[in-house]
Amino acid sequence: MSATLSLAVLVSGRGSNLQAIIDACRSGRLRAKILAVLSDRIEAEGLRRAEAAGIPTIALAPRGYPSRRAYDEALFARISSFAPELVVLAGFMRVLSAPVVEAWAGRMINIHPSLLPKYPGLQTHRRAIEAGDREHGASVHFVSAEVDAGPVIARVRVPILPGDDPETLAARLLPREHALLTATLALFAERRLEWRPAGIHLDGCILDRPLELGADDRWLPA
Ligand code: GRF
């Protein structure tokens, strides 16, 4: 059995995805350890969740840094001090500067509430409804310099139902986001997933399209 996967998790707000990771580690479903939780917002509920779980926290406000890059370098210097194998952006609401992203290429993932490449950016639930889409979802992807545009590892789908508004749709999607993020992390923990310049590899084979998580929390056949 290979060693436990070590993580640093970045949050800006509520931290329900962080909580899902904490719960999955506790239950033994995920062989991972969160070394630290970091936030750009001192008041982030996610920091409180980490404290409650006994995980070291760092709140670093961007104010006072002369540039985005200076802030990002300070934040990632803190992250590096923990030497995590993987950085997880779980509701981290800042765009990271290219040098930092490049330094962590293949070692940083993000969860985004849309079926990427559809709807990068904000207001994804509203945009999916307004477009008349019949389904929506979430994606876990490697972080690249362009926002929400890095290689997609895995996705999960939910239906858009008549009468949905952004709140009802977000509420349907959120538990599926949690399942997607923890299931994807489990693949990393089992050492089955790997980023290579040629593409994402699963079990040593190139992944030619994103994995899809089914309603029963199992990966659908390719
Ligand atoms: C989630 O919808 C996630 O996909 C997006 O931001 C939200 C964060 O929620 N990136 P939480 O802070 O994990 O509850």
Side-chain angles (χ1 to χ4, degrees):
M1 228 357 183
S2 45
T4 301
L5 177 73
S6 62
L7 305 173
V9 182
L10 270 62
V11 299
S12 292
R14 181 178 55 184
S16 70
N17 278 284
L18 166 67
Q19 189 68 55
I21 301 171
I22 293 170
D23 294 346
C25 292
R26 277 204 184 125
S27 73
R29 277 180 292 130
L30 175 59
R31 254 172 74 89
K33 181 176 167 64
I34 304 175
L35 303 179
V37 172
L38 299 95
S39 182
D40 57 325
R41 298 198 188 145
I42 287 143
E43 72 286 0
E45 192 189 336
L47 290 175
R48 310 288 90 75
R49 293 177 190 264
E51 286 160 8
I55 299 166
T57 60
I58 293 178
L60 197 64
R63 211 171 341 108
Y65 287 89
S67 64
R68 175 178 298 280
R69 182 167 172 179
Y71 172 77
D72 291 350
E73 284 174 355
L75 182 68
F76 277 76
R78 303 292 188 93
I79 292 172
S80 295
S81 73
F82 292 93
E85 290 172 81
L86 195 67
V87 174
V88 183
L89 307 184
F92 186 66
M93 300 307 287
R94 286 179 61 83
V95 175
L96 293 169
S97 42
V100 161
V101 169
E102 277 151 23
W104 286 82
R107 296 184 293 149
M108 179 157 56
I109 63 169
N110 179 47
I111 174 124
H112 180 75
S114 81
L115 292 170
L116 288 172
K118 275 189 161 183
Y119 314 126
L122 300 174
Q123 306 264 358
T124 57
H125 312 307
R126 177 176 304 285
R127 287 156 70 200
I129 292 169
E130 286 177 359
D133 292 356
R134 296 176 64 176
E135 64 174 7
H136 187 43
S139 308
V140 173
H141 65 95
F142 283 110
V143 176
S144 66
E146 203 183 328
V147 175
D148 301 327
V152 178
I153 304 165
R155 302 190 296 194
V156 70
R157 295 169 194 271
V158 295
I160 298 180
L161 302 178
D164 262 341
D165 60 29
E167 288 71 35
T168 58
L169 183 53
R172 185 173 310 119
L173 181 58
L174 192 62
R176 303 309 298 146
E177 283 188 38
H178 299 160
L180 178 70
L181 182 56
T182 53
T184 306
L185 286 172
L187 293 177
F188 280 102
E190 291 158 8
R191 314 292 163 183
R192 297 178 60 194
L193 258 184
E194 198 189 345
W195 179 89
R196 296 185 202 168
I200 300 167
H201 282 64
L202 175 70
D203 297 332
C205 296
I206 200 151
L207 201 60
D208 51 16
R209 69 179 109 132
L211 295 165
E212 296 269 348
L213 192 70
D216 59 357
D217 290 352
R218 289 174 194 274
W219 298 109
L220 299 177

